[in-house]
Amino acid sequence: MTGIISSPSAPVLFKAACPECQARFELSAGSLRLAIGASRRTTFYSFTCPACGSAVRKPAGERIVELLTGGGVRTLRLHSTV
């Protein structure tokens, strides 16, 4: 995730890249999912690469979480079952 592209009248777009095919592209908030877990290892965002169709999962630090939630990405909070 490298940043957000936004204007007052346009939807928010997020810049992303695929680790499989190396394609770079922009995704809408609806194309991304954010999962927030109890630790850094269980907090990540995911999307399907529009170029090659690969399922991509990348870690999300605090700043990425802020950007994605602020841009309207759907968020799932993961809870421990212990």
Side-chain angles (χ1 to χ4, degrees):
M1 187 69 42
T2 58
I4 296 178
I5 300 169
S6 176
S7 73
S9 61
V12 175
L13 295 176
F14 298 90
K15 290 184 179 182
C18 177
E20 287 294 318
C21 70
Q22 308 303 312
R24 294 185 178 280
F25 39 82
E26 296 172 357
L27 296 170
S28 67
S31 299
L32 294 154
R33 298 290 178 271
L34 174 64
I36 300 175
S39 71
R40 285 181 154 178
R41 287 184 297 166
T42 57
T43 300
F44 60 91
Y45 65 97
S46 62
F47 59 89
T48 300
C49 175
C52 71
S54 292
V56 178
R57 177 175 159 165
K58 294 187 175 186
E62 288 181 35
R63 182 67 180 137
I64 296 296
V65 169
E66 288 177 23
L67 290 171
L68 295 177
T69 55
V73 172
R74 282 185 261 171
T75 303
L76 171 67
R77 295 212 178 259
L78 305 175
H79 298 281
S80 175
T81 57
V82 177

